Amino acid sequence: MEFTTRFGVIAASVGSAVGLGNIWRFPYEAGEHGGGAFLLIYCLFILIIGLPVITAEFIIGRSSRSNVYGAFKHTTGKRSVWRSFGLFALLGAAMILGFYSVVAGWTGHYVVSSLCNFNGASTTDELHTDFGNFIASWEAVGWTLAFILVNFLIMRRGVQKGIEKMSNMFMPLLFVILLVFCVHSLMMSGASQGLEFLFKPDFSEITPQVMLGAMGQAFFSLSIGLGCMLTYASYFSNNTKLLNSAGIIAGLDTLVAVLAGIIIFPAVFSFGASPAEGPALVFEVLPSIFLDMEWGMLWSVLFFVLLLLASLTSTISLNEIIIAYLTDEKKMGRTKATAITTGVIAVLAVGCSLSFGPLSGYTLCGKTIFDLCNFCSSNLIMPLGGILFSIYVGWHMKRGAVNAQLRGTSRVFVAMLIFCLRYVAPICIAVVFLSGLGLLN
Ligand code: PHE
């Protein structure tokens, strides 16, 4: 299989990158970690770590034309650290799918809830209470499982192509809608306070934990460090310019996250909510905006449907990492591989969903199952993958092979990329990682 058009390549990778990470996770991470300071560091990390690591994944994927485990098979020994990481990456993908499906389930619930005018809730407090009750309920588990079932049906029949086509059509629409919401938010009473929170960095807020959070968000949002982009690049044609494509993907992804911030924070301050609300933030604030808009119900349904679609293109890419491994390496049939993947994810996801209700008391280091899956995947496994992919391309691959993948790219850019992959990215990731975990004091 190969992507045939340049647009297809970019659209599938942007489909993987843009999702709940931009619209749900970015605002609450920024809200919890000091707003402007977080955004500044986030953008810096996208540039010096994100961009080089996506390109590294592209280089490994297209040169090996294989999955995240198989990619290292021909070039390294049987028990190499790279191959072992391949298995670790599968675990990371499963963890993300676990908590991501829960949030996608919440999104599904909001499509219906919008149609019912949020069950008559009209104040931020009422929306807050309703949301709290909903996520703690078995209904939320039902929505999560429904989302996983849809994934199963799509993955089993291999109709990703249809979904990708649909998302190519609808993602530009999501973008336009976000612009409309931005304009609306900018006219709210708390607009200047919100913008100041998002864009004015307070350097005293920058702590090792904020840096680790920003780095984790950069990895999560760009879908890097697990071999997702690597798997997609194995389907790229030889004419695709890897560095250019990586630049477009990183640029669009960051733009969507910033737009989400411009929508959320003015509303947060207008409605007197707290920016540090955590995972609930977007789900409590957005309905308040919709209730404030003319034709609110229509906007709301349209928005949540598009967000659901954006989530689906991200979960498809995550499922693909695991299924490509099972079918290529374990020689399983597609249906069996999909069923096993779905089973594992369903168990994890039910645990994640219940951690807002009956399992909320089960914690490790103060983190619930949901928080653990979220933290371990983005702040541990993905950065580790980033280090390994950078070192692999920067130090291990033959320079000729790397250059062959970057044909047509200006020499200066290639030199900068290699410098980043050899030194900047691995060292930065390691330092932020260790100090964020409190291991560098
Ligand atoms: N980048 C996706 C998002 O922002 C999530 C994702 C992470 C997808 C890792 C694939 C791999 O929603």
Side-chain angles (χ1 to χ4, degrees):
M1 177 167 101
E2 244 189 37
F3 289 117
T4 38
T5 62
R6 179 174 160 72
F7 184 71
V9 168
I10 304 274
S13 320
V14 172
S16 166
V18 173
L20 291 168
N22 309 62
I23 292 168
W24 159 75
R25 201 175 188 277
F26 173 80
Y28 94 70
E29 284 280 337
E32 274 182 342
H33 291 125
F38 182 90
L39 178 63
L40 186 75
I41 300 181
Y42 174 74
C43 290
L44 183 74
F45 284 158
I46 292 280
L47 203 66
I48 63 170
I49 298 176
L51 197 55
V53 174
I54 307 192
T55 317
E57 285 203 27
F58 281 175
I59 291 173
I60 301 171
R62 192 173 62 183
S63 60
S64 68
R65 297 229 173 262
S66 183
N67 62 71
V68 61
Y69 183 77
F72 302 109
K73 201 159 61 181
H74 314 292
T75 36
T76 60
K78 214 172 174 3
R79 295 244 166 271
S80 78
V81 57
W82 281 287
R83 286 190 68 188
S84 319
F85 176 76
L87 296 178
F88 214 42
L90 301 179
L91 176 72
M95 283 177 155
I96 297 185
L97 279 165
F99 77 86
Y100 205 93
S101 305
V102 173
V103 184
W106 298 347
T107 312
H109 163 78
Y110 268 81
V111 173
V112 177
S113 170
S114 315
L115 283 169
C116 311
N117 250 331
F118 304 110
N119 301 321
S122 57
T123 62
T124 321
D125 277 347
E126 281 170 347
L127 289 164
H128 178 86
T129 315
D130 281 1
F131 182 71
N133 290 340
F134 165 69
I135 60 174
S137 69
W138 285 95
E139 191 191 342
V141 177
W143 277 102
T144 302
L145 292 175
F147 181 77
I148 294 175
L149 183 68
V150 171
N151 273 273
F152 171 76
L153 295 174
I154 293 171
M155 298 311 294
R156 183 187 61 131
R157 298 189 42 211
V159 291
Q160 290 101 304
K161 281 269 128 63
I163 296 291
E164 298 289 3
K165 275 212 188 91
M166 231 163 54
S167 95
N168 294 352
M169 261 160 42
F170 287 119
M171 284 310 105
L173 185 59
L174 176 65
F175 195 72
V176 174
I177 290 204
L178 288 177
L179 286 176
V180 173
F181 293 168
C182 271
V183 173
H184 184 84
S185 275
L186 289 176
M187 291 189 311
M188 287 182 155
S189 58
S192 56
Q193 226 183 327
L195 291 182
E196 196 167 301
F197 178 79
L198 181 63
F199 290 113
K200 199 165 160 212
D202 170 359
F203 291 98
S204 66
E205 294 268 2
I206 300 179
T207 61
Q209 283 71 31
V210 169
M211 306 227 338
L212 181 62
M215 187 171 78
Q217 177 60 21
F219 274 94
F220 185 84
S221 192
L222 291 179
S223 311
I224 50 178
L226 291 183
C228 214
M229 292 297 179
L230 184 158
T231 308
Y232 271 11
S234 69
Y235 311 134
F236 284 5
S237 92
N238 284 332
N239 299 326
T240 304
K241 287 204 174 148
L242 300 185
L243 189 58
N244 291 14
S245 307
I248 296 174
I249 294 160
L252 284 176
D253 188 70
T254 309
L255 187 62
V256 174
V258 172
L259 286 181
I262 299 179
I263 296 169
I264 300 291
F265 291 114
V268 165
F269 289 100
S270 305
F271 297 121
S274 154
E277 191 76 6
L281 181 71
V282 170
F283 287 95
E284 291 174 5
V285 172
L286 280 173
S288 311
I289 305 183
F290 298 139
L291 289 172
D292 196 51
M293 287 173 90
E294 224 166 301
W295 300 96
M297 187 210 277
L298 205 72
W299 288 118
S300 181
V301 173
L302 197 58
F303 172 77
F304 284 117
V305 168
L306 290 174
L307 185 56
L308 205 53
L309 211 59
S311 317
L312 209 50
T313 48
S314 299
T315 48
I316 286 174
S317 71
L318 280 161
N319 273 294
E320 187 65 35
I321 307 180
I322 308 178
I323 294 172
Y325 165 75
L326 292 177
T327 50
D328 296 353
E329 305 300 326
K330 298 284 163 212
K331 306 286 171 237
M332 257 178 215
R334 179 117 193 147
T335 305
K336 187 170 170 202
T338 312
I340 291 179
T341 311
T342 305
V344 172
I345 291 160
V347 172
L348 267 173
V350 170
C352 287
S353 182
L354 292 178
S355 66
F356 291 95
L359 297 184
S360 61
Y362 288 81
T363 55
L364 189 72
C365 305
K367 292 192 186 320
T368 61
I369 305 176
F370 182 97
D371 297 335
L372 277 175
C373 283
N374 192 347
F375 182 87
C376 292
S377 52
S378 333
N379 292 0
L380 304 181
I381 301 183
M382 296 172 106
L384 200 64
I387 295 185
L388 290 176
F389 294 147
S390 318
I391 294 182
Y392 188 82
V393 175
W395 295 96
H396 192 84
M397 263 178 93
K398 296 232 161 48
R399 186 55 67 82
V402 174
N403 286 344
Q405 293 299 324
L406 294 171
R407 237 192 331 255
T409 308
S410 117
R411 280 188 157 186
V412 183
F413 283 145
V414 174
M416 277 164 57
L417 175 73
I418 298 293
F419 182 75
C420 276
L421 288 176
R422 290 193 133 192
Y423 307 102
V424 182
I427 294 173
C428 280
I429 300 173
V431 170
V432 173
F433 182 69
L434 294 175
S435 58
L437 295 179
L439 301 175
L440 259 198
N441 294 320

